[in-house]
Amino acid sequence: MSTFNILKREDVSANNQAIFDNLNKALGFVPNLYATYANSDTALENYLTFANAKTSLSAKEKEVVNLAVSQVNDCIYCLSAHTAIGKMNGFTDAQILELRAGFSSVNEKFDALAKLAKNITENRGKTDQDVLENYFNAGYTQGNLIDTISLVGDKTISNYVHSTTQVPVDFPVAQPLELETI
């Protein structure tokens, strides 16, 4: 397998240097996965525009989707990053493990959303009708559905980038999901 070096500011285009500067200001560092996107002169900006686009989903709901999708796609980088972000959004360790497994025992809407995100990812968009009906019964709309599908695609892109490049995880590594511990 080819090795992907972690690009530094001086290694990237002027456009990506500006993005690195903004990431450093906002996060205090440039995550390795974002630096990997910077191998392309356009991919990092395109990805961040897509990932930060307006959505009908709340920050917590976005993390529900990110965790469920990253678990299905077995992406340790995104699981680690979104475990940290999930905690920043108020989820406990136990809730994060449940969401990764595709359910929530404490919130009906998060449960329906996690089940949908998991099902869409596992079935490559051929969503089971009972899962979809449960999602709508939990109070989500058709507009929320389109936003959820977009977010599944967004996270799948990052999952695939990491799975292909295997750049080092620069977040606290997420613990393995063991269903018997949930």
mmCIF file of all heavy atoms in Angstrom, residues 65-97:
data_model
loop_
_atom_site.group_PDB
_atom_site.id
_atom_site.type_symbol
_atom_site.label_atom_id
_atom_site.label_comp_id
_atom_site.label_asym_id
_atom_site.label_seq_id
_atom_site.Cartn_x
_atom_site.Cartn_y
_atom_site.Cartn_z
ATOM 1 N N VAL A 65 -25.811 10.550 13.254
ATOM 2 C CA VAL A 65 -25.572 9.993 11.916
ATOM 3 C C VAL A 65 -24.092 9.666 11.725
ATOM 4 O O VAL A 65 -23.745 8.569 11.272
ATOM 5 C CB VAL A 65 -26.073 10.966 10.826
ATOM 6 C CG1 VAL A 65 -25.698 10.459 9.427
ATOM 7 C CG2 VAL A 65 -27.578 11.178 10.945
ATOM 8 N N ASN A 66 -23.221 10.598 12.092
ATOM 9 C CA ASN A 66 -21.777 10.386 11.906
ATOM 10 C C ASN A 66 -21.299 9.136 12.625
ATOM 11 O O ASN A 66 -20.485 8.370 12.084
ATOM 12 C CB ASN A 66 -20.999 11.603 12.411
ATOM 13 C CG ASN A 66 -21.181 12.821 11.540
ATOM 14 O OD1 ASN A 66 -21.465 12.720 10.353
ATOM 15 N ND2 ASN A 66 -21.012 13.997 12.123
ATOM 16 N N LEU A 67 -21.779 8.916 13.830
ATOM 17 C CA LEU A 67 -21.347 7.747 14.610
ATOM 18 C C LEU A 67 -21.879 6.446 14.019
ATOM 19 O O LEU A 67 -21.138 5.471 13.882
ATOM 20 C CB LEU A 67 -21.767 7.902 16.075
ATOM 21 C CG LEU A 67 -20.984 8.959 16.848
ATOM 22 C CD1 LEU A 67 -21.733 9.387 18.117
ATOM 23 C CD2 LEU A 67 -19.591 8.458 17.187
ATOM 24 N N ALA A 68 -23.156 6.428 13.652
ATOM 25 C CA ALA A 68 -23.750 5.200 13.102
ATOM 26 C C ALA A 68 -23.101 4.826 11.770
ATOM 27 O O ALA A 68 -22.752 3.667 11.546
ATOM 28 C CB ALA A 68 -25.263 5.377 12.936
ATOM 29 N N VAL A 69 -22.916 5.818 10.900
ATOM 30 C CA VAL A 69 -22.333 5.553 9.578
ATOM 31 C C VAL A 69 -20.878 5.104 9.711
ATOM 32 O O VAL A 69 -20.453 4.134 9.071
ATOM 33 C CB VAL A 69 -22.446 6.803 8.678
ATOM 34 C CG1 VAL A 69 -21.650 6.627 7.386
ATOM 35 C CG2 VAL A 69 -23.908 7.105 8.373
ATOM 36 N N SER A 70 -20.121 5.787 10.545
ATOM 37 C CA SER A 70 -18.697 5.445 10.701
ATOM 38 C C SER A 70 -18.516 4.053 11.284
ATOM 39 O O SER A 70 -17.540 3.369 10.958
ATOM 40 C CB SER A 70 -17.993 6.493 11.573
ATOM 41 O OG SER A 70 -18.000 7.743 10.912
ATOM 42 N N GLN A 71 -19.456 3.614 12.134
ATOM 43 C CA GLN A 71 -19.379 2.259 12.674
ATOM 44 C C GLN A 71 -19.642 1.237 11.574
ATOM 45 O O GLN A 71 -18.893 0.264 11.433
ATOM 46 C CB GLN A 71 -20.370 2.063 13.823
ATOM 47 C CG GLN A 71 -20.253 0.706 14.490
ATOM 48 C CD GLN A 71 -18.911 0.506 15.164
ATOM 49 O OE1 GLN A 71 -18.491 1.332 15.963
ATOM 50 N NE2 GLN A 71 -18.236 -0.585 14.853
ATOM 51 N N VAL A 72 -20.684 1.440 10.793
ATOM 52 C CA VAL A 72 -20.986 0.513 9.704
ATOM 53 C C VAL A 72 -19.794 0.421 8.747
ATOM 54 O O VAL A 72 -19.415 -0.668 8.319
ATOM 55 C CB VAL A 72 -22.257 0.927 8.931
ATOM 56 C CG1 VAL A 72 -22.433 0.078 7.672
ATOM 57 C CG2 VAL A 72 -23.489 0.824 9.823
ATOM 58 N N ASN A 73 -19.190 1.570 8.454
ATOM 59 C CA ASN A 73 -18.063 1.601 7.520
ATOM 60 C C ASN A 73 -16.732 1.274 8.189
ATOM 61 O O ASN A 73 -15.698 1.277 7.519
ATOM 62 C CB ASN A 73 -17.991 2.966 6.825
ATOM 63 C CG ASN A 73 -19.108 3.150 5.833
ATOM 64 O OD1 ASN A 73 -19.579 2.195 5.222
ATOM 65 N ND2 ASN A 73 -19.551 4.390 5.657
ATOM 66 N N ASP A 74 -16.763 0.987 9.480
ATOM 67 C CA ASP A 74 -15.584 0.551 10.237
ATOM 68 C C ASP A 74 -14.406 1.514 10.076
ATOM 69 O O ASP A 74 -13.286 1.106 9.791
ATOM 70 C CB ASP A 74 -15.184 -0.865 9.810
ATOM 71 C CG ASP A 74 -14.210 -1.508 10.778
ATOM 72 O OD1 ASP A 74 -14.217 -1.150 11.967
ATOM 73 O OD2 ASP A 74 -13.424 -2.371 10.326
ATOM 74 N N CYS A 75 -14.690 2.805 10.260
ATOM 75 C CA CYS A 75 -13.653 3.830 10.122
ATOM 76 C C CYS A 75 -13.203 4.304 11.496
ATOM 77 O O CYS A 75 -13.871 5.120 12.136
ATOM 78 C CB CYS A 75 -14.176 5.007 9.300
ATOM 79 S SG CYS A 75 -12.934 6.307 9.108
ATOM 80 N N ILE A 76 -12.074 3.806 11.960
ATOM 81 C CA ILE A 76 -11.577 4.149 13.289
ATOM 82 C C ILE A 76 -11.246 5.635 13.405
ATOM 83 O O ILE A 76 -11.420 6.231 14.469
ATOM 84 C CB ILE A 76 -10.374 3.260 13.698
ATOM 85 C CG1 ILE A 76 -10.044 3.458 15.182
ATOM 86 C CG2 ILE A 76 -9.165 3.540 12.825
ATOM 87 C CD1 ILE A 76 -11.144 3.085 16.150
ATOM 88 N N TYR A 77 -10.796 6.253 12.333
ATOM 89 C CA TYR A 77 -10.493 7.685 12.393
ATOM 90 C C TYR A 77 -11.773 8.469 12.697
ATOM 91 O O TYR A 77 -11.817 9.272 13.630
ATOM 92 C CB TYR A 77 -9.861 8.189 11.086
ATOM 93 C CG TYR A 77 -9.352 9.605 11.227
ATOM 94 C CD1 TYR A 77 -8.004 9.847 11.458
ATOM 95 C CD2 TYR A 77 -10.205 10.705 11.177
ATOM 96 C CE1 TYR A 77 -7.518 11.139 11.634
ATOM 97 C CE2 TYR A 77 -9.737 11.991 11.349
ATOM 98 C CZ TYR A 77 -8.399 12.205 11.582
ATOM 99 O OH TYR A 77 -7.943 13.484 11.768
ATOM 100 N N CYS A 78 -12.811 8.252 11.904
ATOM 101 C CA CYS A 78 -14.054 9.006 12.085
ATOM 102 C C CYS A 78 -14.761 8.619 13.375
ATOM 103 O O CYS A 78 -15.362 9.472 14.041
ATOM 104 C CB CYS A 78 -14.956 8.835 10.877
ATOM 105 S SG CYS A 78 -14.244 9.587 9.372
ATOM 106 N N LEU A 79 -14.688 7.359 13.774
ATOM 107 C CA LEU A 79 -15.253 6.966 15.064
ATOM 108 C C LEU A 79 -14.556 7.708 16.200
ATOM 109 O O LEU A 79 -15.207 8.170 17.138
ATOM 110 C CB LEU A 79 -15.135 5.455 15.270
ATOM 111 C CG LEU A 79 -16.095 4.612 14.459
ATOM 112 C CD1 LEU A 79 -15.715 3.138 14.536
ATOM 113 C CD2 LEU A 79 -17.533 4.831 14.923
ATOM 114 N N SER A 80 -13.255 7.828 16.111
ATOM 115 C CA SER A 80 -12.492 8.524 17.151
ATOM 116 C C SER A 80 -12.822 10.014 17.165
ATOM 117 O O SER A 80 -13.099 10.592 18.222
ATOM 118 C CB SER A 80 -10.994 8.299 16.939
ATOM 119 O OG SER A 80 -10.697 6.914 17.013
ATOM 120 N N ALA A 81 -12.818 10.633 15.991
ATOM 121 C CA ALA A 81 -13.124 12.069 15.907
ATOM 122 C C ALA A 81 -14.545 12.341 16.389
ATOM 123 O O ALA A 81 -14.780 13.270 17.177
ATOM 124 C CB ALA A 81 -12.939 12.559 14.475
ATOM 125 N N HIS A 82 -15.499 11.531 15.961
ATOM 126 C CA HIS A 82 -16.891 11.810 16.309
ATOM 127 C C HIS A 82 -17.257 11.349 17.713
ATOM 128 O O HIS A 82 -18.229 11.849 18.282
ATOM 129 C CB HIS A 82 -17.828 11.281 15.229
ATOM 130 C CG HIS A 82 -17.698 12.100 13.986
ATOM 131 N ND1 HIS A 82 -18.166 13.394 13.907
ATOM 132 C CD2 HIS A 82 -17.071 11.845 12.813
ATOM 133 C CE1 HIS A 82 -17.868 13.887 12.720
ATOM 134 N NE2 HIS A 82 -17.191 12.970 12.039
ATOM 135 N N THR A 83 -16.476 10.472 18.304
ATOM 136 C CA THR A 83 -16.635 10.194 19.736
ATOM 137 C C THR A 83 -16.272 11.459 20.516
ATOM 138 O O THR A 83 -17.008 11.877 21.421
ATOM 139 C CB THR A 83 -15.775 8.999 20.170
ATOM 140 O OG1 THR A 83 -16.299 7.815 19.534
ATOM 141 C CG2 THR A 83 -15.778 8.812 21.673
ATOM 142 N N ALA A 84 -15.163 12.086 20.153
ATOM 143 C CA ALA A 84 -14.754 13.332 20.819
ATOM 144 C C ALA A 84 -15.783 14.439 20.590
ATOM 145 O O ALA A 84 -16.182 15.142 21.537
ATOM 146 C CB ALA A 84 -13.381 13.776 20.322
ATOM 147 N N ILE A 85 -16.257 14.578 19.352
ATOM 148 C CA ILE A 85 -17.244 15.620 19.040
ATOM 149 C C ILE A 85 -18.577 15.308 19.719
ATOM 150 O O ILE A 85 -19.260 16.205 20.209
ATOM 151 C CB ILE A 85 -17.396 15.781 17.519
ATOM 152 C CG1 ILE A 85 -16.077 16.253 16.902
ATOM 153 C CG2 ILE A 85 -18.525 16.756 17.184
ATOM 154 C CD1 ILE A 85 -16.021 16.145 15.389
ATOM 155 N N GLY A 86 -18.938 14.036 19.755
ATOM 156 C CA GLY A 86 -20.170 13.633 20.437
ATOM 157 C C GLY A 86 -20.146 14.010 21.908
ATOM 158 O O GLY A 86 -21.135 14.501 22.461
ATOM 159 N N LYS A 87 -19.013 13.802 22.551
ATOM 160 C CA LYS A 87 -18.866 14.186 23.961
ATOM 161 C C LYS A 87 -18.988 15.707 24.103
ATOM 162 O O LYS A 87 -19.616 16.192 25.049
ATOM 163 C CB LYS A 87 -17.537 13.703 24.522
ATOM 164 C CG LYS A 87 -17.491 12.202 24.730
ATOM 165 C CD LYS A 87 -16.129 11.760 25.240
ATOM 166 C CE LYS A 87 -16.066 10.246 25.335
ATOM 167 N NZ LYS A 87 -14.758 9.790 25.816
ATOM 168 N N MET A 88 -18.407 16.460 23.172
ATOM 169 C CA MET A 88 -18.519 17.918 23.207
ATOM 170 C C MET A 88 -19.972 18.362 23.032
ATOM 171 O O MET A 88 -20.359 19.424 23.504
ATOM 172 C CB MET A 88 -17.643 18.564 22.127
ATOM 173 C CG MET A 88 -16.169 18.399 22.396
ATOM 174 S SD MET A 88 -14.999 19.023 21.130
ATOM 175 C CE MET A 88 -15.965 19.757 19.880
ATOM 176 N N ASN A 89 -20.787 17.528 22.390
ATOM 177 C CA ASN A 89 -22.202 17.823 22.182
ATOM 178 C C ASN A 89 -23.092 17.233 23.274
ATOM 179 O O ASN A 89 -24.317 17.246 23.147
ATOM 180 C CB ASN A 89 -22.650 17.328 20.804
ATOM 181 C CG ASN A 89 -22.321 18.314 19.719
ATOM 182 O OD1 ASN A 89 -22.995 19.331 19.573
ATOM 183 N ND2 ASN A 89 -21.266 18.056 18.967
ATOM 184 N N GLY A 90 -22.483 16.696 24.327
ATOM 185 C CA GLY A 90 -23.251 16.262 25.489
ATOM 186 C C GLY A 90 -23.600 14.793 25.575
ATOM 187 O O GLY A 90 -24.294 14.379 26.502
ATOM 188 N N PHE A 91 -23.137 13.973 24.637
ATOM 189 C CA PHE A 91 -23.400 12.540 24.728
ATOM 190 C C PHE A 91 -22.440 11.893 25.722
ATOM 191 O O PHE A 91 -21.270 12.259 25.797
ATOM 192 C CB PHE A 91 -23.237 11.857 23.364
ATOM 193 C CG PHE A 91 -24.338 12.168 22.382
ATOM 194 C CD1 PHE A 91 -24.050 12.794 21.180
ATOM 195 C CD2 PHE A 91 -25.651 11.818 22.647
ATOM 196 C CE1 PHE A 91 -25.048 13.078 20.266
ATOM 197 C CE2 PHE A 91 -26.662 12.094 21.744
ATOM 198 C CZ PHE A 91 -26.366 12.729 20.544
ATOM 199 N N THR A 92 -22.935 10.917 26.462
ATOM 200 C CA THR A 92 -22.091 10.145 27.374
ATOM 201 C C THR A 92 -21.403 9.023 26.589
ATOM 202 O O THR A 92 -21.791 8.706 25.458
ATOM 203 C CB THR A 92 -22.924 9.506 28.493
ATOM 204 O OG1 THR A 92 -23.808 8.520 27.908
ATOM 205 C CG2 THR A 92 -23.736 10.549 29.262
ATOM 206 N N ASP A 93 -20.411 8.389 27.225
ATOM 207 C CA ASP A 93 -19.734 7.257 26.586
ATOM 208 C C ASP A 93 -20.735 6.155 26.231
ATOM 209 O O ASP A 93 -20.677 5.587 25.136
ATOM 210 C CB ASP A 93 -18.642 6.696 27.503
ATOM 211 C CG ASP A 93 -17.429 7.609 27.608
ATOM 212 O OD1 ASP A 93 -17.128 8.332 26.634
ATOM 213 O OD2 ASP A 93 -16.778 7.598 28.670
ATOM 214 N N ALA A 94 -21.649 5.855 27.150
ATOM 215 C CA ALA A 94 -22.635 4.795 26.905
ATOM 216 C C ALA A 94 -23.563 5.165 25.748
ATOM 217 O O ALA A 94 -23.884 4.312 24.902
ATOM 218 C CB ALA A 94 -23.444 4.524 28.173
ATOM 219 N N GLN A 95 -23.985 6.414 25.686
ATOM 220 C CA GLN A 95 -24.853 6.845 24.585
ATOM 221 C C GLN A 95 -24.114 6.769 23.247
ATOM 222 O O GLN A 95 -24.702 6.364 22.239
ATOM 223 C CB GLN A 95 -25.354 8.273 24.836
ATOM 224 C CG GLN A 95 -26.346 8.364 25.977
ATOM 225 C CD GLN A 95 -26.613 9.799 26.417
ATOM 226 O OE1 GLN A 95 -25.795 10.702 26.209
ATOM 227 N NE2 GLN A 95 -27.770 10.011 27.017
ATOM 228 N N ILE A 96 -22.848 7.133 23.250
ATOM 229 C CA ILE A 96 -22.050 7.069 22.015
ATOM 230 C C ILE A 96 -21.932 5.626 21.535
ATOM 231 O O ILE A 96 -22.080 5.347 20.344
ATOM 232 C CB ILE A 96 -20.673 7.731 22.229
ATOM 233 C CG1 ILE A 96 -20.851 9.251 22.327
ATOM 234 C CG2 ILE A 96 -19.692 7.346 21.124
ATOM 235 C CD1 ILE A 96 -19.634 10.015 22.793
ATOM 236 N N LEU A 97 -21.711 4.700 22.442
ATOM 237 C CA LEU A 97 -21.629 3.287 22.048
ATOM 238 C C LEU A 97 -22.955 2.812 21.463
ATOM 239 O O LEU A 97 -22.970 2.069 20.469
ATOM 240 C CB LEU A 97 -21.209 2.422 23.234
ATOM 241 C CG LEU A 97 -19.754 2.586 23.672
ATOM 242 C CD1 LEU A 97 -19.498 1.807 24.968
ATOM 243 C CD2 LEU A 97 -18.788 2.157 22.580
#
